Amino acid sequence: MTTPYRKKLIEVAIPLEAINAASAREKSIKHGHPSALHLWWARRPLAACRAVLFAQLVDDPSSHPDQFTTEEEVEAERDRLFRIIEDLVKWENSTNEEVLERARAEIRRNFPDGVPPVYDPFSGGCSIPLEALRLGLPSTGSDLNPVAVMIGKAMIELPSRFRDQKPTHPGKPERLHYRGAEGMAEDILWYAHALSDKAWEKIGHLYPKVAIPKQDGGGEATVLGWLWARTVASPNPAVRGAHVPLISNYWLCNKPKKSVWVQPVIAGSEISFEIHTGKPADPAVVAAGTKAGRGANFRCLLTGDAVTADYVKAEGMAGRMGWRLLAIVLEGKGGRRYIAATKEQEALAFSEIPDWRPEYPLSQHPQYMSVTNYGPTNISDLFMDRQTIALNTFMELIPEVVSSISDVDYKKAILSYLVMSVSRLANRQSTSTFWDTTGEKIQQVFAMQALPMRWDTVEGNPFSSSSGNFIGQVEYLAKTVAAMPCSEMSTAERQLDAQNVDFSGYVISTDPPYYDNVPYADLSDFFYVWLRKGLAGTYPELFSTMLVPKQEELVADYKRHGGKDEADSFFLEGMTTVMHHMATQGRPDVPAAIYYAFRQGEVDESGFSVKGWATFLQAIVDAGYSIGATWPVRTELVGNLKKNKNALATSVVMACRPRSADAEIISRVEFIRALRRELPAALKEMHRASIAPVDIPQASIGPGIAIFSRYASVIERDDKPMSVKTALQIINEELDQYLSAQEGDFDPETRFAVTWFTQHGFEKGMFGDADSLARARGISVDDVRHAGIVDSSAGRVRIYKREELEEGWNPDSDRHLTIWECCQYLVRQHQLDGLSHDTAVLLKKFGSDKAEAVKDLAYVLYEISDKRRQDRQEATAYNALITDWTELTRQAAAVHDTRRDGQMRFDV
């Protein structure tokens, strides 16, 4: 029986603006978000995953001509589906059963014989399997990385397995009724408090309260953290090997209304540190610390000699670095308090030796593990003695704390979450943390996707009630567990190489590794050694290896594979194998959704990723997929209009179907003809949908590469198959030609201005050149000047800058109105007020035809500014306008023209 082909919504249209806005907003959500369960480096936003899954599974109305007989009916139905998605992606609706059930019902309507299961073979942070579960779909994820697999188990397996259970702890329950994983979350927190109490009994003497000096009020306070700096012996032999600190800056707190810093005091070869408050005499000195330039260059506090980067590296590699306590941070009712370090506090930190250390080799990857350039060779080197003792103690006491739980499987579940909480604590208990002088808090190890060298660090107190404490880590985790979706559907997370997955019967939605992006296996060792210590007995197969598997990780890592060409081949072959299995085994009636993440550095001047993007697409095409649509999903906060809204989308989602078995072979010429025939209509639709200009190069890949990938092969003039990289270049050329052709639809004065702007920007040019350009368009320079576009004097011509344009301009009274003026005045108003009443009123005055022409011109001017003139600031202005266009036109439509009083008003 042949499966009927029905286009899904994702292959035709999605409400991109709403998805992007929700995805960006999600970055600011902390409590209850799955990212708070345990750190993972590359999570796709839940909003995007939820929307993409829904759009994968729901038919586009054009697939049902019997139900929707006119274009108007198709659009109305599509708008209804869009409204479901727009509600679905809002963070506050992620637990709204009414909204979720509306989406689930729509999916069930499309699959009357039962909803299909979803598979993500690169599950990573588990966003896609989690959202599949939330939409009522059987969900399976797998990953080669055991840390990712454990995160997935904690997100989709365990909450569903023990759903709707009351807590089992012997204390008083917090509520009468428990839904989902709320009871489990309460148990996690209860047993965590019991664990913290037992740990305090054992090692609390290492974390005593400290006396506050009388001049600071006296009494005692709990230590929040100890601020340390690394030391090396002075290179000057005159001080006989005395150690000097390597301090990146002296600030302890640097806020507008609060300044605290340490100041070194030298007495012979002894160095001590005083605490100072108020405004320093020379803030630059405080900010410099003992640094002397970039990198690992410092100066000796005792002699003033240079402590060079080579010297620091040599001392570190020889194992001769030490530690020096700079200051102590205390908890206080009025905020953080800082006191001077003491020798007693410094000695206390090294007064006991850990019984066990994670003595496993630290990855030597030069790009992401720069800490290894200065001596650390084992993971244990990333933890001070007291930190190691604390992590050991918490981990070793967990089995004892949960021993009273009678249900063996539930006991394993609570144990798993407590172990993950200790792993979370490790991210705040390491020599790779640092003190945030603005937020006055401990910043995690992985503030970036790397392990850099930290010259000064903060050692947190796990028993405090502030930044970096253990219970705080558990509270984040427990709130996340309580909010997890729970389902009776089959859910699973397993460790598996993606090349060995059987996709039979599955809908595929996945976020694969991105060519030569970060090798997460190297970074994951930091957590793996602690998770393995606590969970090897519970999940023996998952934690059977000494460290995270690396050689099989599907990234183009030149370090692992002996060169860039070898790494490129490894990635292309491996990814093609995975994609081939997906294309041949996956469910044929639903397109696969494949994500690709962009990095700013991998995009060239043409707007396309140079190597990674082309290689990734080549793997998809070689595997037998045809790419039907590409959607740029913005996953970073872009700020307000005064900030740069020109940042590239970080993800592109591709909808892919298996290529037809009888696909043709065509020539290069035929491919270009097909592009010229089909691409303009697709690009017009993108403009109609107000896709931001910055995203057009990526979005245009969809219709362009869809043409390329639907053929078995495109043959070059030398009879060799065309590469994806060449196809992308041709698509980009056609995009440029399309934008250039749009200029012919504008009035002659606007066409003059576009060409003059391309050549000169806002700078002056010769009158003779302007005259020739104007005559070619059937007008004179005087016509353009009369239109208020250019200034012409002393034999020179220039376009007016927006700040020079007439104040109080009104298109209704302009007798020589041009699209150029409308666009520039609208951009100026938008830059001034953003989405405002005045901006909407101005757009309303243009009328629908001129408004569409203004939008087309904004696209053209963005492309000229960004690519040809390399003027990012000017490009940003046009991009920002288009980004807000949909909402702006909605507001303009609500404006009523009341010309009797000369005012406009909103229809509220």
Side-chain angles (χ1 to χ4, degrees):
M1 179 178 170
T2 304
T3 304
Y5 180 89
R6 289 176 178 165
K7 272 198 171 183
K8 297 296 181 180
L9 190 63
I10 196 171
E11 297 173 290
V12 180
I14 58 175
L16 197 58
E17 188 176 4
I19 296 169
N20 284 340
S23 297
R25 182 189 167 213
E26 200 175 300
K27 292 285 183 177
S28 62
I29 305 296
K30 302 299 180 186
H31 294 284
H33 193 278
S35 61
L37 181 75
H38 193 282
L39 183 139
W40 187 255
W41 295 270
R43 292 179 184 271
R44 292 282 68 81
L46 306 181
C49 298
R50 206 177 308 148
V52 166
L53 281 162
F54 179 84
Q56 272 183 271
L57 294 164
V58 173
D59 291 349
D60 184 75
S62 63
S63 296
H64 297 277
D66 53 328
Q67 291 180 250
F68 310 105
T69 58
T70 66
E71 185 61 33
E72 290 75 16
E73 289 178 349
V74 169
E75 284 297 325
E77 175 63 7
R78 201 172 281 151
D79 286 343
R80 184 185 72 83
L81 296 175
F82 278 16
R83 287 194 295 274
I84 293 176
I85 295 176
E86 287 162 3
D87 286 339
L88 192 63
V89 296
K90 294 175 182 175
W91 168 253
E92 55 269 26
N93 288 340
S94 57
T95 56
N96 185 324
E97 278 301 311
E98 182 182 346
V99 171
L100 293 171
E101 182 53 32
R102 198 180 307 140
R104 293 172 192 146
E106 200 65 43
I107 294 171
R108 290 195 298 268
R109 191 168 69 85
N110 281 263
F111 294 92
D113 296 330
V115 295
V118 172
Y119 201 116
D120 178 4
F122 299 102
S123 57
C126 210
S127 294
I128 294 172
L130 181 74
E131 292 311 307
L133 195 65
R134 203 186 304 273
L135 290 174
L137 304 165
S139 172
T140 302
S142 61
D143 203 291
L144 181 65
N145 191 311
V147 176
V149 175
M150 193 62 231
I151 291 171
K153 286 183 178 296
M155 284 174 63
I156 67 169
E157 276 190 21
L158 299 179
S160 289
R161 185 173 183 182
F162 300 102
R163 65 187 178 278
D164 300 334
Q165 282 192 187
K166 293 181 178 180
T168 63
H169 65 76
K172 184 178 179 180
E174 294 179 0
R175 61 183 76 181
L176 294 175
H177 304 288
Y178 292 86
R179 295 181 304 174
E182 291 172 344
M184 175 184 277
E186 186 177 310
D187 272 337
I188 292 167
L189 198 53
W190 193 93
Y191 286 103
H193 277 286
L195 175 60
S196 185
D197 291 343
K198 282 188 175 293
W200 175 258
E201 291 173 12
K202 191 169 182 179
I203 60 171
H205 60 281
L206 294 176
Y207 298 91
K209 290 188 175 183
V210 299
I212 301 174
K214 289 183 179 179
Q215 64 267 27
D216 294 327
E220 288 186 328
T222 299
V223 176
L224 186 157
W226 293 265
L227 301 174
W228 298 87
R230 296 180 189 269
T231 66
V232 294
S234 171
N236 191 322
V239 295
R240 300 181 179 181
H243 269 233
V244 293
L246 310 177
I247 307 173
S248 58
N249 69 79
Y250 291 136
W251 287 114
L252 301 177
C253 177
N254 186 13
K255 296 179 177 180
K257 295 183 179 180
K258 183 179 179 183
S259 296
V260 188
W261 72 96
V262 294
Q263 183 168 307
V265 178
I266 314 299
S269 61
E270 291 292 320
I271 305 172
S272 59
F273 295 92
E274 296 177 344
I275 307 295
H276 288 260
T277 60
K279 188 175 181 180
D282 191 345
V285 171
V286 178
T290 64
K291 289 282 286 179
R294 299 180 63 184
N297 291 287
F298 294 85
R299 59 183 177 83
C300 174
L301 277 178
L302 297 175
T303 66
D305 291 325
V307 183
T308 66
D310 288 342
Y311 178 82
V312 171
K313 184 175 289 189
E315 290 294 287
M317 297 299 281
R320 292 193 290 265
M321 277 189 183
W323 290 104
R324 182 64 195 272
L325 188 61
L326 302 180
I328 301 171
V329 192
L330 306 178
E331 293 184 329
K333 291 182 180 179
R336 312 296 191 223
R337 304 177 71 175
Y338 301 87
I339 63 172
T342 65
K343 291 186 179 297
E344 292 76 17
Q345 284 289 324
E346 189 167 283
L348 181 63
F350 300 99
S351 61
E352 295 185 18
I353 304 299
D355 295 330
W356 178 87
R357 297 178 190 270
E359 298 283 2
Y360 299 99
L362 191 58
S363 168
Q364 301 293 306
H365 199 292
Q367 190 173 353
Y368 304 102
M369 314 295 287
S370 59
V371 65
T372 59
N373 293 334
Y374 301 94
T377 56
N378 287 326
I379 297 173
S380 60
D381 296 330
L382 303 178
F383 303 93
M384 299 176 80
D385 287 350
R386 184 163 50 185
Q387 290 172 328
T388 307
I389 290 169
L391 293 169
N392 277 343
T393 302
F394 279 100
M395 198 69 80
E396 289 165 359
L397 288 172
I398 292 173
E400 179 184 339
V401 167
V402 301
S403 61
S404 61
I405 301 176
S406 57
D407 184 316
V408 174
D409 290 334
Y410 191 63
K411 180 193 297 183
K412 288 180 178 179
I414 300 300
L415 179 144
S416 297
Y417 286 116
L418 293 180
V419 168
M420 293 184 76
S421 297
V422 178
S423 180
R424 272 190 58 107
L425 182 63
N427 198 25
R428 291 294 198 287
Q429 285 284 334
S430 166
T431 58
S432 293
T433 60
F434 63 97
W435 182 246
D436 182 341
T437 60
T438 302
E440 293 187 277
K441 60 185 179 181
I442 299 170
Q443 285 289 9
Q444 60 169 312
V445 171
F446 292 102
M448 60 179 73
Q449 298 180 351
L451 269 173
M453 185 61 163
R454 300 285 183 197
W455 304 110
D456 24 53
T457 185
V458 54
E459 179 195 4
N461 180 355
F463 301 105
S464 75
S465 58
S466 302
S467 178
N469 71 91
F470 174 66
I471 292 300
Q473 303 304 313
V474 184
E475 287 174 342
Y476 270 102
L477 179 145
K479 286 178 182 176
T480 299
V481 172
M484 286 296 177
C486 297
S487 172
E488 298 178 5
M489 296 285 186
S490 170
T491 61
E493 182 71 19
R494 54 192 182 181
Q495 185 184 26
L496 197 60
D497 186 333
Q499 296 181 69
N500 299 323
V501 172
D502 182 357
F503 296 100
S504 300
Y506 283 103
V507 170
I508 298 158
S509 198
T510 188
D511 178 21
Y514 315 125
Y515 187 61
D516 62 347
N517 212 336
V518 182
Y520 296 115
D522 292 79
L523 302 181
S524 298
D525 285 340
F526 179 91
F527 296 113
Y528 179 81
V529 296
W530 295 107
L531 292 171
R532 184 174 186 260
K533 180 176 174 62
L535 293 173
T538 307
Y539 303 99
E541 292 185 2
L542 185 58
F543 294 99
S544 62
T545 55
M546 185 175 71
L547 293 170
V548 174
K550 295 178 180 62
Q551 201 65 24
E552 303 92 336
E553 186 180 25
L554 203 46
V555 290
D557 190 328
Y558 72 91
K559 168 87 173 160
R560 289 182 195 159
H561 299 288
K564 292 189 176 182
D565 289 342
E566 292 81 0
D568 186 68
S569 296
F570 171 82
F571 177 83
L572 184 58
E573 290 170 12
M575 192 59 70
T576 302
T577 298
V578 177
M579 296 294 168
H580 176 71
H581 291 164
M582 287 164 51
T584 55
Q585 299 169 1
R587 188 157 173 146
D589 57 335
V590 179
I594 304 171
Y595 294 66
Y596 183 86
F598 280 96
R599 294 178 302 179
Q600 186 76 31
E602 66 175 353
V603 177
D604 63 17
E605 65 278 357
S606 69
F608 285 113
S609 171
V610 184
K611 183 81 171 176
W613 184 217
T615 305
F616 191 81
L617 284 175
Q618 191 72 57
I620 294 175
V621 172
D622 288 351
Y625 265 133
S626 174
I627 302 168
T630 59
W631 303 108
V633 178
R634 197 172 298 281
T635 57
E636 298 298 327
L637 288 168
V638 294
N640 58 33
L641 288 172
K642 294 183 180 179
K643 295 181 181 178
N644 183 7
K645 292 183 81 169
N646 205 38
L648 284 167
T650 56
S651 295
V652 167
V653 180
M654 292 166 278
C656 304
R657 296 258 192 178
R659 188 162 48 247
S660 172
D662 56 358
E664 297 178 74
I665 297 174
I666 64 167
S667 67
R668 178 190 181 101
V669 172
E670 290 171 311
F671 172 54
I672 293 173
R673 282 180 190 151
L675 279 177
R676 291 175 179 171
R677 186 171 58 247
E678 300 177 39
L679 194 57
L683 291 171
K684 283 179 183 176
E685 181 61 28
M686 288 178 199
H687 284 201
R688 192 188 69 80
S690 300
I691 291 179
V694 71
D695 293 331
I696 285 289
Q698 277 76 43
S700 65
I701 291 165
I705 211 71
I707 296 168
F708 176 79
S709 59
R710 75 185 177 213
Y711 295 106
S713 184
V714 176
I715 301 301
E716 294 274 28
R717 296 184 185 94
D718 59 1
D719 292 332
K720 292 181 180 178
M722 180 182 289
S723 69
V724 167
K725 186 174 182 179
T726 300
L728 290 176
Q729 290 169 347
I730 294 172
I731 293 167
N732 199 32
E733 289 167 4
E734 293 302 316
L735 174 62
D736 288 342
Q737 287 188 25
Y738 168 79
L739 291 172
S740 297
Q742 278 190 302
E743 298 173 24
D745 296 332
F746 302 137
D747 54 79
E749 289 84 357
T750 297
R751 296 204 309 273
F752 169 92
V754 168
T755 307
W756 191 259
F757 176 74
T758 304
Q759 296 171 356
H760 301 281
F762 295 105
E763 301 301 319
K764 292 179 179 179
M766 299 301 296
F767 178 86
D769 296 337
D771 183 58
S772 297
L773 191 63
R775 288 178 183 278
R777 283 151 181 78
I779 56 174
S780 67
V781 174
D782 213 42
D783 290 327
V784 188
R785 184 186 61 76
H786 184 263
I789 295 174
V790 301
D791 172 58
S792 176
S793 60
R796 307 296 290 271
V797 175
R798 68 178 180 87
I799 291 176
Y800 285 118
K801 296 179 180 179
R802 281 187 290 278
E803 57 266 29
E804 298 176 297
L805 295 176
E806 176 187 337
E807 292 296 329
W809 176 81
N810 189 336
D812 292 337
S813 58
D814 191 324
R815 296 184 179 181
H816 197 153
L817 188 63
T818 64
I819 299 302
W820 179 272
E821 291 171 277
C822 293
C823 183
Q824 297 304 327
Y825 278 105
L826 186 63
V827 169
R828 184 178 72 173
Q829 188 66 46
H830 185 256
Q831 285 180 308
L832 181 67
D833 286 341
L835 285 167
S836 69
H837 173 264
D838 289 344
T839 312
V841 166
L842 182 58
L843 180 61
K844 175 80 171 184
K845 289 181 176 181
F846 295 161
S848 58
D849 290 342
K850 275 193 170 57
E852 281 302 304
V854 166
K855 184 167 71 168
D856 289 342
L857 179 58
Y859 275 108
V860 170
L861 294 177
Y862 170 84
E863 191 270 343
I864 293 168
S865 301
D866 186 57
K867 291 185 182 178
R868 303 185 211 178
R869 298 203 56 77
Q870 301 288 299
D871 186 343
R872 292 299 173 117
Q873 186 174 359
E874 185 69 9
T876 297
Y878 302 114
N879 189 65
L881 178 65
I882 298 299
T883 300
D884 285 342
W885 192 268
T886 300
E887 177 60 21
L888 189 59
T889 52
R890 188 192 67 77
Q891 290 186 15
V895 172
H896 276 195
D897 188 351
T898 55
R899 293 185 180 276
R900 285 176 297 176
D901 58 4
Q903 299 295 315
M904 294 265 187
R905 64 176 175 82
F906 274 117
D907 183 11
V908 180

